Amino acid sequence: MRLVARLLGILVKFYQTFIYSFLLAPLLIVIVTSFDSRNYVSFPPQIGALSLHWYEFVVGYPTFVQGFKTSIVLELVTIPLAICIGVMGSFFFVRHEFRGKEFLSAALLSPLVVPGVVIGSSLVFLFASTGLIASFPNLVIAHVIITLPYVMSACTACLIGVDRSIEEAAMNLGANEFQTFLRVTLPSMKAGIVAGIIFVFAISFDDVATSAFLTDAYTYPFSIALVGYMRRSFDPAIAAASVLITLITIALVLAIEKTIGIERFIGFRA
Amino acid sequence: MSVERTFTLANYVEFFGTAAYREILLATLYMSTVATIFGVLFGYPVAYSIARSTSLRGRKILLTLLLMSFLISSIARVYAFYVILGRVGILNFVVALLGLPSLRILNTEWAITVGLIHFSAPLSALTLIGPIQQVRPSLEEAAKSLGADELQTFTKVTLPLSIPGIVAAISLGYTVSVSAFLTPLFLGGGITNMMSNMIYARFELTTNYPFGAALSAILLLFSVSIAYMINKISQRVQARFWRRS
C-alpha cells in the first residue's frame, strides 16, 4: 500500500510539472523565436541566425508605433475613468440599499458573461444609430465597459473589509464625509485599486474581440495592429512585439509585488 | 449604414436551418466544454500546489509563474501555438524524431481547443486557490490521524470540500471559452470556426449586419443561459454541501 502511495505521489509531481511546463511553454517559445532572424517560423532555431533584427523592425514599423501610441493614450484615459466609476460604484453598492440593487449589480457585472464580439458588434449598432462615429471615444467607452466589472469586483472585495469604526472615529474628530472618504476609506482600498489598475491595463491592452469592431483606418490599438500584421505574414516580428508587451506585463507584476504583494493580490489568506 | 427596421425572424431561420451554421454552434459548445473540463483538470493541481505549498518562497515562485502564464497576451499565445502545432513546428519536430508521420493539428478543432485550454487553465487555477485554501489543513490532519492515507484524504476530504470552487471555475472557464475570438481566428485558420469569429466575418467580410446581429444574439443566449444554469447548479450544490456539514 505504501509503495502505491509513493508511486502516486511521484505521478502527481510529474503531472504538476507537466502542467506548469504546458502553461509556460508559449512564453519561452515566443522569447526564443523573437531572436530568430529568419523570415519564417520554424523550429529548431538556427544558432547562427540569432539577432535583435526583429526588435529593430518592430520599433521602427510605423503601424506598430502608431498602434502603440494609440494604446498608451487609450490606457491613460480608460484607467482613470474605469477606476473612478468603479470605486464610486462599489462604494455605492456596498454602503447603500435600494430597489433594483440586484438587477443593477448584475447589469454592471454583465460584461464578464457577454462575449467580446457581442459587446463590440452591439456598440457598433449603438454608435452608428446615434451618430457617434469618432473612433477614439468609442474605444474608450468600449474599454471602460469591458473592464468595469473587474474594477468593481476588486474594489467591492476590498471595501467590504474596511473597518467602519475607523471612519466613525475620523468623523467624530471633525472630518466631514468627503474628507473621511478621501483620507480613511480610499487608502484602505489601495489594494483593490491597484488590482483594478492592473486588470484594466492587462485586459484593455490585450483586447482584440471588442476593439476590432470599433477601430478605423487612423485609430487602432496596438493589439489590432499586431493582428492585422499577423493576417498577412507570420514572421517573428510578432514574437518580438509580444515579448515587448510581456516585458510591460512583467513590470506590472513586479509593481504588484512591490506595492501590495502578489499573495494579497490573489486573495490569498496566509 | 442603412439598417432596414423591419421585424423578421428570417436570419434565425436561416441560421438554424443551415447545417453548416448549426455545426459551428455545436462545435463552439463542444470545444468550450472540452476546454473548460481540461482547464479545471490542469488548474486544480496547480492551485493545490500553491495553496498547500509549505515554503513561502516556493509559493511565491509558483504564484509568479502562474501569474505570468495568465497575463501573457493572447496574441503571444496564439503565435506560440502556431509555432508548436504547425506542420514544421515543435510538436512535429519531436514526432519526426520518434519516426512517426507528421501530425496535422493546426486549423483543426484540437488546435483551437488546446489554445482555449491554455487560457482557461490559469484562470481556473487562480479561481481555485481560494477555495482549496479554505479547506482547513486541520481537517486533513484529522483524517490522516484516523488512518486515511494521502489519496483517501484527498478524495474524501479535500476534493468534496472544494467542489463549490470547482463549479465556480467551470462557470468562469466556460464563459471565457465560449467568447474566445483570437484563438479560433488564427488556430482555426478560417477552416474551423467558432461563433465569435463568424460574427466578426459577417461584419467585416460580408457586411451582413442583420445576420451578424442574429449570430451575436444566439451566442449571447447560449453564453448567458449556460452560465446561469451552472450558477443554479452551484447554488444547489452549495445548499447540499452546507446541509451535510
Side-chain angles (χ1 to χ4, degrees):
Chain A
M1 244 347 251
R2 281 213 62 196
L3 185 62
V4 174
R6 296 265 301 273
L7 273 173
L8 265 173
I10 298 178
L11 259 173
V12 168
K13 281 283 182 296
F14 259 111
Y15 186 47
Q16 286 175 335
T17 314
F18 163 72
I19 297 174
Y20 273 103
S21 315
F22 170 70
L23 290 180
L24 292 165
L27 191 56
L28 293 170
I29 288 168
V30 169
I31 295 176
V32 168
T33 314
S34 68
F35 292 109
D36 188 344
S37 67
R38 293 174 297 177
N39 274 356
Y40 50 92
V41 175
S42 166
F43 194 82
Q46 273 176 283
I47 303 297
L50 295 175
S51 78
L52 288 175
H53 167 247
W54 290 112
Y55 287 94
E56 296 165 359
F57 176 80
V58 164
V59 173
Y61 194 62
T63 316
F64 288 162
V65 174
Q66 173 69 18
F68 188 74
K69 280 194 226 169
T70 311
S71 272
I72 293 293
V73 177
L74 185 62
E75 298 309 323
L76 288 175
V77 177
T78 307
I79 292 179
L81 214 52
I83 297 288
C84 284
I85 300 177
V87 167
M88 288 194 292
S90 68
F91 191 78
F92 190 58
F93 274 100
V94 171
R95 296 289 169 88
H96 294 87
E97 289 295 328
F98 54 93
R99 288 181 60 177
K101 184 172 173 180
E102 287 265 341
F103 180 73
L104 190 58
S105 168
L108 282 174
L109 291 178
S110 63
L112 287 175
V113 192
V114 178
V117 281
V118 174
I119 299 180
S121 55
S122 322
L123 284 177
V124 165
F125 286 124
L126 176 67
F127 290 138
S129 65
T130 55
L132 303 162
I133 54 176
S135 177
F136 190 79
N138 292 349
L139 280 172
V140 171
I141 294 175
H143 281 221
V144 170
I145 290 177
I146 55 179
T147 54
L148 194 60
Y150 297 92
V151 178
M152 285 198 63
S153 297
C155 290
T156 309
C158 228
L159 194 55
I160 291 181
V162 163
D163 193 353
R164 302 288 308 262
S165 55
I166 301 184
E167 292 183 359
E168 286 165 19
M171 287 200 272
N172 261 333
L173 291 168
N176 60 27
E177 288 204 18
F178 185 62
Q179 283 173 318
T180 313
F181 179 76
L182 216 50
R183 301 176 113 194
V184 177
T185 320
L186 218 47
S188 317
M189 290 175 64
K190 191 170 61 155
I193 295 179
V194 169
I197 294 179
I198 306 290
F199 275 133
V200 173
F201 188 86
I203 292 167
S204 165
F205 205 82
D206 190 33
D207 175 73
V208 174
T210 313
S211 311
F213 289 87
L214 299 165
T215 58
D216 66 22
Y218 302 107
T219 321
Y220 42 88
F222 188 64
S223 51
I224 298 290
L226 266 185
V227 169
Y229 188 86
M230 270 211 287
R231 299 176 96 173
R232 285 176 295 122
S233 79
F234 224 82
D235 53 41
I238 302 158
S242 302
V243 171
L244 289 175
I245 305 179
T246 311
L247 284 176
I248 302 180
T249 309
I250 295 179
L252 282 177
V253 173
L254 285 177
I256 303 173
E257 174 63 17
K258 283 294 180 293
T259 53
I260 57 176
I262 289 191
E263 297 174 2
R264 264 191 78 189
F265 179 64
I266 307 290
F268 196 86
R269 268 156 261 119
Chain B
M1 71 193 172
S2 62
V3 180
E4 289 175 10
R5 303 249 178 227
T6 51
F7 186 81
T8 170
L9 290 174
N11 290 311
Y12 293 95
V13 170
E14 184 185 345
F15 180 84
F16 287 107
T18 316
Y21 290 134
R22 284 199 309 265
E23 272 169 26
I24 295 186
L25 176 63
L26 285 171
T28 303
L29 294 174
Y30 174 70
M31 284 188 271
S32 305
T33 312
V34 173
T36 308
I37 294 175
F38 273 96
V40 173
L41 283 177
F42 284 3
Y44 196 96
V46 169
Y48 192 83
S49 70
I50 293 178
R52 291 282 180 254
S53 157
T54 43
S55 79
L56 188 67
R57 246 183 109 228
R59 200 193 311 147
K60 260 200 203 194
I61 295 176
L62 290 178
L63 255 180
T64 312
L65 292 177
L66 178 60
L67 258 187
M68 290 300 315
S69 77
F70 179 64
L71 291 176
I72 179 177
S73 84
S74 48
I75 298 173
R77 264 184 247 263
V78 163
Y79 187 80
F81 277 110
Y82 219 86
V83 173
I84 298 178
L85 299 173
R87 254 182 315 126
V88 288
I90 298 178
L91 191 65
N92 277 324
F93 178 71
V94 172
V95 161
L97 277 184
L98 294 174
L100 301 166
S102 68
L103 305 167
R104 311 194 86 216
I105 298 189
L106 208 56
N107 298 342
T108 68
E109 287 192 353
W110 275 111
I112 299 180
T113 311
V114 169
L116 290 176
I117 293 173
H118 192 269
F119 186 70
S120 127
L123 190 61
S124 300
L126 286 171
T127 317
L128 284 166
I129 292 181
I132 296 181
Q133 241 206 303
Q134 294 218 342
V135 177
R136 285 171 305 174
S138 52
L139 287 170
E140 292 181 355
E141 285 165 22
K144 285 194 199 143
S145 73
L146 288 170
D149 59 32
E150 292 272 354
L151 182 62
Q152 284 175 320
T153 316
F154 179 71
T155 53
K156 295 229 149 71
V157 178
T158 318
L159 193 56
L161 287 175
S162 51
I163 283 186
I166 295 180
V167 177
I170 290 181
S171 174
L172 199 54
Y174 173 79
T175 309
V176 150
S177 300
V178 144
S179 324
F181 174 67
L182 199 62
T183 308
L185 185 66
F186 281 100
L187 294 179
I191 300 175
T192 318
N193 285 312
M194 282 177 76
M195 289 288 285
S196 35
N197 54 307
M198 250 219 321
I199 297 173
Y200 182 66
R202 287 294 163 278
F203 273 80
E204 189 202 30
L205 296 176
T206 64
T207 66
N208 188 348
Y209 300 121
F211 193 67
L215 289 177
S216 289
I218 296 172
L219 178 62
L220 182 63
L221 177 71
F222 275 90
S223 169
V224 169
S225 61
I226 298 190
Y228 180 75
M229 279 195 288
I230 296 179
N231 208 22
K232 273 284 174 283
I233 296 177
S234 152
Q235 284 176 359
R236 215 168 287 179
V237 165
Q238 297 232 22
R240 209 158 24 121
F241 165 79
W242 286 117
R243 221 184 297 143
R244 220 183 329 152
S245 70

